[in-house]
């Protein structure tokens, strides 16, 4: 009973906030609704017993990705009114794409047939002594280690690409060299001059 | 928590759980009132001042006087501010600061929710703390708060990375993400604390754990916007950063949330590196003191260290802060994770 109530509350907040992401007039509020959507999804993961996935979702998406997203949207100061000005013209195309995706989802939902005996495994209880973190680790680092490494490599390449695209060497930029700064002696930094009265330093 | 429901039925179980949470929150708030006073007293003592000394004996009731003053003032929302978000921001800071405490074990069995992913939960909640600041800065619709919140977002995201790696080294040592298990792994005397040993691992582990603790301490300063990393507030350049437009109760919520996060970091250091509620020696005079008191003593000690750092260290420049986070702490902690991982595999195999 309690779990069902929690599910309906979280699911409703996920759907409503996902809709508000599109409907919100203010871009910053749209991002905030996106964050609420992530958060509700994390709550649904907890209800499924996948607490590790839920925490990772919160840490990675809510705690890091969305912060940077919010950061960019705040700095850009986008005016949604001008962006949305010509959007009515795209309505037929957009509607068509939405319809295609909805049809695909429906096909998957109704026509999907599980492998023989898969349903039994779906209902099988977790062994008492394994946490789902250990189970997930055994899968990722053992059976699917190649895919895991490949995914990591793809991310690395994307990261290097982004850095190379934006890296610009400029001349004449003053940089602080901590090592040199700490290691310089009094002799090379300070010079004591005995200034005669009335003459100054020429 | 859920045990209550199975034990007393849905109604009384829920009430018992709520009562437990309320009691914990009240204890936290009361201790925070005196910790705030301690912060100011330490600061004053370093500068050879007396500090608050008028309200109550030795100024003991100063925090309560401040509280009443904050609450009785008028809440001012600037014109052009995003009103709902402006008021939501301090609430977010306040709430996130409290809910992280749900998994902190203060004594054997004294924990509100003993979940298996305790470390990750604390990390997740502390990474959410940035939203209160960033939303508050944006919703104020003013330049200084906005600059302060942008700075703080970059700063907190940077230092979270190294905090995360330090947490990973600890959970590699213990082999569990449950904070109660982390504390239990450190029983039996101070030489078993994670600062000096890595549980069952061979002795040179402290070569990793002591630097990890130092990194965690400094990152905790940066994560909670304490001096010398208080750039989001930087009184001299940003007036008070994201808090400029806040007054009365919303400001109070910001302040309580901020200090509660500091105490949370102190509690985390106690739990992760200093044996939680375990006494330094497992013999008679030390074991007479109840575990929760040991926990409190350690937390107060770390809070004292935080206060001393605030009083002694000048503020970092922004580029130095970023350099420290990304070029020194991140590689060091990443290397420590790799070494500690190898260490665990080696000692389990041999």
């Amino acid at each position: 009973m309690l779990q069902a109530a929690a599910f309906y509350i979280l699911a409703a907040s996920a759907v409503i906030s996902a809709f508000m992401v599109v409907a919100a007039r203010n871009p910053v509020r749209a991002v905030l609704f996106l964050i609420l959507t992530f958060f509700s999804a994390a709550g649904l993961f907890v209800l499924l017993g996948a607490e590790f996935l839920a925490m990772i979702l919160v840490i990675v998406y809510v705690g890091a990705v969305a912060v940077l997203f919010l950061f960019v949207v705040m700095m850009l100061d986008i005016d949604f009114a001008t962006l949305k000005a010509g959007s009515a013209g795209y309505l037929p195309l957009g509607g068509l794409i939405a319809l295609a995706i909805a049809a695909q989802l429906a096909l998957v939902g109704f026509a999907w047939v599980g492998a023989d005996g898969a349903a039994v495994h779906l209902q099988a209880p977790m062994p008492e002594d394994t946490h789902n973190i250990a189970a997930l680790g055994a899968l990722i680092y053992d059976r699917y280690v190649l895919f895991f490494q490949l995914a990591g490599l793809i991310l690395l390449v994307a990261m290097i690409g982004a850095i190379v695209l934006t890296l610009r060497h400029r001349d004449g930029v003053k940089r602080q060299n901590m090592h040199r700064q700490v290691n310089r002696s009094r002799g090379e930094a300070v010079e004591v001059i005995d200034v005669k009265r009335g003459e100054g330093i020429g | 928590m859920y045990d209550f429901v199975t034990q007393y039925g849905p109604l009384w179980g829920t009430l018992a759980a709520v009562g437990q949470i309320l009691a914990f929150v009240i204890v936290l708030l009361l201790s925070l009132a005196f910790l705030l006073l301690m912060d100011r007293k330490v600061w004053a003592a370093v500068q050879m001042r007396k500090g608050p000394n008028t309200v109550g004996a030795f100024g003991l009731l100063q925090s309560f006087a401040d509280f009443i003053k904050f609450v009785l003032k008028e809440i001012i929302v600037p014109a052009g501010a995003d009103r709902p978000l402006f008021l939501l921001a301090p609430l977010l800071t306040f709430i996130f600061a409290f809910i992280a405490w749900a998994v902190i074990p203060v004594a054997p069995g004294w924990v509100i929710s003993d979940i298996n992913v305790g470390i990750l939960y604390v990390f997740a909640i502390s990474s959410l703390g940035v939203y209160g600041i960033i939303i508050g800065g944006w919703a104020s619709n003013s330049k200084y708060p906005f600059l302060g919140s942008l700075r703080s977002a970059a700063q907190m995201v940077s230092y979270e990375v190294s905090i995360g790696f330090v947490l990973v080294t600890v959970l590699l040592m213990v082999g569990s993400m449950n904070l109660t298990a982390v504390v239990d792994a450190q029983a039996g005397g101070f030489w078993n604390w994670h600062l000096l040993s890595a549980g069952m691992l061979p002795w040179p582990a402290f070569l990793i754990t002591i630097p990890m603790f130092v990194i965690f301490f400094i990152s905790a300063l940066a994560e909670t916007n304490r001096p010398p990393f208080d750039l989001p507030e930087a009184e001299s350049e940003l007036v008070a950063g994201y808090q400029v437009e806040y007054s009365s109760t919303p400001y109070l919520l910001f302040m309580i949330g901020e200090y509660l996060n500091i105490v949370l970091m102190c509690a985390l250091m106690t739990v992760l590196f200093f044996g939680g509620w375990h006494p330094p020696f497992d013999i008679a005079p030390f074991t007479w003191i109840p575990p929760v008191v040991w926990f409190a003593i350690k937390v107060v000690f770390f809070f004292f260290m935080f206060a001393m750092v605030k009083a002694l260290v000048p503020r970092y420049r922004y580029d130095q802060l970023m350099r420290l986070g990304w070029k020194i702490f991140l590689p060091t902690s990443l290397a420590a994770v790799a070494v500690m991982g190898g260490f665990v595999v080696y000692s389990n195999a041999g």
Side-chain angles (χ1 to χ4, degrees):
Chain A
M1 215 281 283
L2 220 58
Q3 282 199 330
F7 170 78
Y8 284 118
I9 292 171
L10 286 170
S13 101
V15 172
I16 292 171
S17 51
F19 177 74
M20 288 304 291
V21 176
V22 192
R25 287 178 173 276
N26 186 324
V28 173
R29 286 197 178 183
V31 177
L32 290 176
F33 275 116
L34 184 68
I35 292 161
L36 189 59
T37 317
F38 286 146
F39 215 77
S40 316
L44 289 175
F45 271 131
V46 170
L47 276 185
L48 282 174
E51 66 256 25
F52 180 73
L53 280 182
M55 292 305 152
I56 291 297
L57 187 73
V58 172
I59 292 170
V60 175
Y61 282 93
V62 183
V65 175
V67 171
L68 297 179
F69 211 53
L70 198 61
F71 203 91
V72 172
V73 171
M74 279 179 181
M75 298 238 273
L76 287 181
D77 197 21
I78 310 165
D79 187 12
F80 257 29
T82 51
L83 267 182
K84 279 187 173 169
S87 64
Y90 293 107
L91 205 61
L93 186 65
L96 209 65
I97 294 174
L99 203 69
I101 293 174
Q104 283 174 344
L105 279 177
L107 277 179
V108 170
F110 292 116
W112 181 50
V113 184
D116 284 339
V120 183
H121 288 298
L122 213 61
Q123 296 297 324
M126 284 268 290
E128 277 294 312
D129 52 336
T130 33
H131 299 311
N132 61 37
I133 308 162
L136 206 65
L139 269 184
I140 291 178
Y141 294 109
D142 206 347
R143 192 187 295 179
Y144 298 116
V145 67
L146 181 67
F147 298 104
F148 184 67
Q149 299 277 352
L150 281 178
L153 267 182
I154 291 171
L155 282 177
L156 183 68
V157 170
M159 192 176 85
I160 294 173
I163 293 172
V164 168
L165 280 178
T166 52
L167 188 68
R168 246 180 255 134
H169 283 290
R170 273 182 298 174
D171 294 327
V173 180
K174 284 188 178 172
R175 290 187 195 284
Q176 185 181 24
N177 187 339
M178 286 279 181
H179 186 71
R180 230 178 60 202
Q181 205 174 1
V182 171
N183 278 331
R184 71 177 188 172
S185 63
R186 184 182 157 84
E188 53 189 292
V190 184
E191 189 185 358
V192 182
I193 302 172
D194 193 14
V195 184
K196 295 228 168 57
R197 179 175 297 182
E199 284 184 13
I201 306 165
Chain B
M1 271 289 279
Y2 205 69
D3 301 347
F4 281 129
V5 180
T6 46
Q7 206 174 332
Y8 303 114
L11 177 64
W12 293 111
T14 310
L15 282 182
V18 170
Q20 192 193 22
I21 294 169
L22 269 183
F24 193 51
V25 165
I26 289 169
V27 170
L28 269 181
L29 274 175
L30 276 179
S31 14
L32 196 68
F34 292 106
L35 282 171
L36 259 166
L37 178 75
M38 177 183 153
D39 191 38
R40 295 169 71 174
K41 280 284 193 188
V42 170
W43 204 9
V46 172
Q47 298 172 346
M48 299 178 87
R49 293 183 286 116
K50 279 184 180 165
N53 64 348
T54 321
V55 191
F58 313 108
L60 273 177
L61 299 176
Q62 181 66 42
S63 296
F64 299 95
D66 287 344
F67 173 78
I68 292 168
K69 188 177 170 181
F70 274 127
V71 171
L72 293 182
K73 294 248 173 185
E74 183 192 354
I75 299 175
I76 298 167
V77 182
D82 191 324
R83 199 183 167 91
L85 288 184
F86 184 81
L87 295 176
L88 178 73
L91 269 178
L92 279 182
T93 307
F94 187 73
I95 292 169
F96 286 142
F98 270 105
I99 60 177
W101 281 90
V103 294
I104 303 286
V106 292
W110 289 22
V111 52
I112 288 180
S113 181
D114 195 17
I115 59 175
N116 280 328
V117 286
I119 292 183
L120 281 182
Y121 174 82
V122 170
F123 187 55
I125 299 300
S126 77
S127 69
L128 292 180
V130 66
Y131 280 113
I133 294 174
I134 208 173
I135 293 174
W138 181 79
S140 299
N141 194 21
S142 164
K143 286 192 182 64
Y144 287 123
F146 187 57
L147 285 175
S149 71
L150 287 186
R151 276 186 182 191
S152 109
Q155 173 181 336
M156 289 171 90
V157 169
S158 308
Y159 278 83
E160 250 157 41
V161 185
S162 44
I163 284 193
F165 281 125
V166 174
L167 294 181
V168 170
T169 51
V170 172
L171 70 89
L172 276 177
M173 288 189 263
V174 183
S176 169
M177 294 194 194
N178 185 322
L179 285 171
T180 310
V182 171
V183 177
D184 278 337
Q186 308 177 63
F190 72 89
W191 52 89
N192 280 341
W193 292 355
H194 281 154
L195 184 74
L196 298 175
S197 89
M200 300 295 115
L201 302 180
W203 63 270
F206 70 81
L207 291 179
I208 306 172
T209 49
I210 289 180
M212 282 299 101
F213 171 71
V214 173
I215 288 181
F216 190 86
F217 184 82
I218 299 175
S219 302
L221 288 173
E223 181 77 8
T224 51
N225 298 327
R226 280 288 279 194
F229 304 109
D230 57 340
L231 290 142
E233 289 152 48
E235 292 87 353
S236 45
E237 23 185 315
L238 283 182
V239 202
Y242 62 92
Q243 298 173 337
V244 177
E245 305 291 350
Y246 282 92
S247 57
S248 91
T249 315
Y251 175 80
L252 177 74
L253 293 182
F254 259 135
M255 199 177 71
I256 292 181
E258 208 168 82
Y259 270 89
L260 207 58
N261 270 328
I262 293 164
V263 184
L264 176 77
M265 283 297 169
C266 298
L268 268 184
M269 280 185 262
T270 308
V271 166
L272 295 176
F273 291 100
F274 278 77
W277 62 74
H278 290 298
F281 297 98
D282 215 1
I283 45 173
F286 295 98
T287 47
W288 290 343
I289 302 173
V292 65
V293 177
W294 274 117
F295 184 85
I297 288 173
K298 291 172 186 174
V299 171
V300 170
F301 171 74
F302 284 120
F303 192 83
F304 174 74
M305 298 298 283
F306 266 62
M308 285 301 276
V309 168
K310 178 183 181 177
L312 295 177
V313 187
R315 184 181 300 137
Y316 253 48
R317 220 171 51 212
Y318 195 67
D319 60 316
Q320 292 172 329
L321 172 95
M322 284 298 164
R323 178 179 164 277
L324 186 68
W326 289 105
K327 291 191 175 173
I328 297 175
F329 283 178
L330 181 61
T332 315
S333 52
L334 191 59
V337 169
V339 173
M340 185 59 88
F343 221 52
V344 171
V345 171
Y346 160 77
S347 58
N348 283 353

